[in-house]
Amino acid sequence: MKRLEEIIKLVSEHEKVDVNTLSEKLNVSKVTIRKDLDKLESKGLLHREHGYAVLNSGDDLNVRLSINYDVKRKIVQEAVKLVQDNETILIESGSTCALLAEEICKQKRNVTIVTNSFFIANFVRGYDSCRVLVLGGEFQKDSQVTVGPLLKEMIQTFHVHQAFVGTDGYDKDMGFTGKDLMRSEVVQYMSAASDKVIVLTDSSKFDKRGTIRRFALSQVYQVITDAAISKQNVASLENAGIVVNIVS
C-alpha cells in the first residue's frame, strides 16, 4: 500500500514522527494511521512510543528494511517481473531480497524460494502462494542466515535459472563487495548453482566498498538499482557486459 510506504519514508527521514503529523501529512484519520502503524510494527519495520512512530535501532534486517524503503520497493517491483509462476529461484539474505520474496508471494503462484535466510522464511510465513526451502548450515544469529560447508553441500543439490542477491558495496576493480567472509562465500555457491545472478541494490551501496569480494563483475548478469547511481558506475557495469536496469 502506497500509504504504508509513505509512513516508512517519513519515519526513516525523521527517525521519530508523531501520529498527528502523519495524519496531517497523509490526509487520513488518526485511527487509520494507528491501524497502519500496527501493520508496520508487526513486520518489525518500526515501533511506537507514547504516540510516536519510531525507527527501530540496531544492526538487523528490520532496521535495514526501513532504510531507503521506497527505493527498495521500486527495485523489487521491477525484479518480480523476471520471476515466472512455478519457477524455482535462489534468494540470498538482505533487506531488498526479503521484500522481493514478499512481492513474489503476493504476485506469483507456486514459486519455490530456496534461501539461507531464516528472516525471509519468517517474513513471508503468512503467504500460501509460494513455498520456501531453507538451507541448513551454521546459523549466524545476528543476520539470521546459515553459512558454511553444510550449506555449500545443500546448495549443490540445486540448479536454478536465477539467483537474486544483494551487496554491501562496490568497487570497479573488485566487483561487488561484502563485510562478512562466510556470507560472501554463500553468494559464490549461489552463483555456481544458477544460470543468472541478479544483484538488487539501492544506489547508496555504490558509494561503499567492502573488504571482501562477493562477486566479480564477470559473474553478474544484471543489476537493478535506482536513478541516483552515477554515470561512471553505470558505464563500468555496462562495459563488463552487465545489464543495468534503473528504476525511477
Side-chain angles (χ1 to χ4, degrees):
M1 183 188 295
K2 179 67 174 176
R3 191 171 62 249
L4 298 183
E5 295 177 17
E6 288 295 325
I7 292 172
I8 287 292
K9 182 179 180 180
L10 288 167
V11 178
S12 297
E13 289 173 352
H14 302 285
E15 296 189 1
K16 184 177 181 179
V17 184
D18 65 90
V19 171
N20 290 337
T21 299
L22 291 172
S23 175
E24 291 171 3
K25 285 185 175 293
L26 299 178
N27 197 29
V28 295
S29 70
K30 287 183 282 188
V31 172
T32 298
I33 289 296
R34 290 190 182 100
K35 289 179 180 178
D36 289 343
L37 294 178
D38 284 340
K39 294 175 184 177
L40 294 171
E41 191 170 28
S42 70
K43 286 184 173 291
L45 295 173
L46 49 75
H47 66 280
R48 283 184 286 176
E49 293 179 1
H50 311 296
Y52 286 84
V54 182
L55 186 68
N56 284 334
S57 60
D59 184 23
D60 61 25
L61 276 170
N62 284 325
V63 177
R64 287 159 57 192
L65 277 169
S66 303
I67 300 170
N68 295 325
Y69 182 82
D70 55 331
V71 171
K72 292 174 182 177
R73 294 295 310 183
K74 291 177 182 178
I75 290 169
V76 162
Q77 290 294 338
E78 193 65 27
V80 76
K81 297 175 184 178
L82 303 175
V83 180
Q84 305 299 316
D85 290 344
N86 306 306
E87 186 176 359
T88 298
I89 61 172
L90 281 165
I91 297 186
E92 192 225 349
S93 62
S95 56
T96 309
C97 288
L99 292 173
L100 174 62
E102 181 183 47
E103 203 60 38
I104 288 170
C105 293
K106 286 180 180 178
Q107 294 192 29
K108 305 296 180 177
R109 291 292 177 268
N110 301 318
V111 173
T112 299
I113 297 170
V114 182
T115 184
N116 68 322
S117 172
F118 280 71
F119 180 91
I120 287 176
N122 185 59
F123 197 66
V124 300
R125 69 187 186 280
Y127 297 94
D128 296 325
S129 51
C130 55
R131 184 168 67 137
V132 180
L133 300 181
V134 183
L135 300 164
E138 179 184 342
F139 185 64
Q140 291 188 338
K141 63 181 181 179
D142 290 337
S143 55
Q144 300 183 51
V145 299
T146 52
V147 297
L150 178 58
L151 174 66
K152 180 179 181 181
E153 291 296 320
M154 296 189 73
I155 287 183
Q156 288 175 342
T157 65
F158 294 91
H159 188 86
V160 301
H161 180 52
Q162 301 180 110
F164 294 89
V165 304
T167 188
D168 295 323
Y170 174 77
D171 179 87
K172 62 183 181 62
D173 298 315
M174 285 182 67
F176 292 93
T177 62
K179 302 174 184 176
D180 184 279
L181 176 60
M182 296 187 78
R183 291 205 299 272
S184 295
E185 287 177 343
V186 171
V187 291
Q188 289 293 328
Y189 307 154
M190 289 186 172
S191 173
S194 61
D195 295 328
K196 294 180 179 179
V197 172
I198 300 164
V199 176
L200 310 179
T201 182
D202 64 86
S203 59
S204 68
K205 300 296 177 61
F206 287 94
D207 298 323
K208 302 173 183 178
R209 185 179 185 272
T211 55
I212 300 162
R213 173 185 283 178
R214 286 167 67 83
F215 286 115
L217 295 181
S218 59
Q219 292 176 276
V220 176
Y221 172 76
Q222 184 172 356
V223 171
I224 305 178
T225 189
D226 61 89
I229 184 175
S230 70
K231 293 180 179 179
Q232 291 85 352
N233 284 328
V234 172
S236 69
L237 293 171
E238 291 181 337
N239 288 339
I242 297 172
V243 177
V244 181
N245 193 332
I246 297 175
V247 300
S248 58

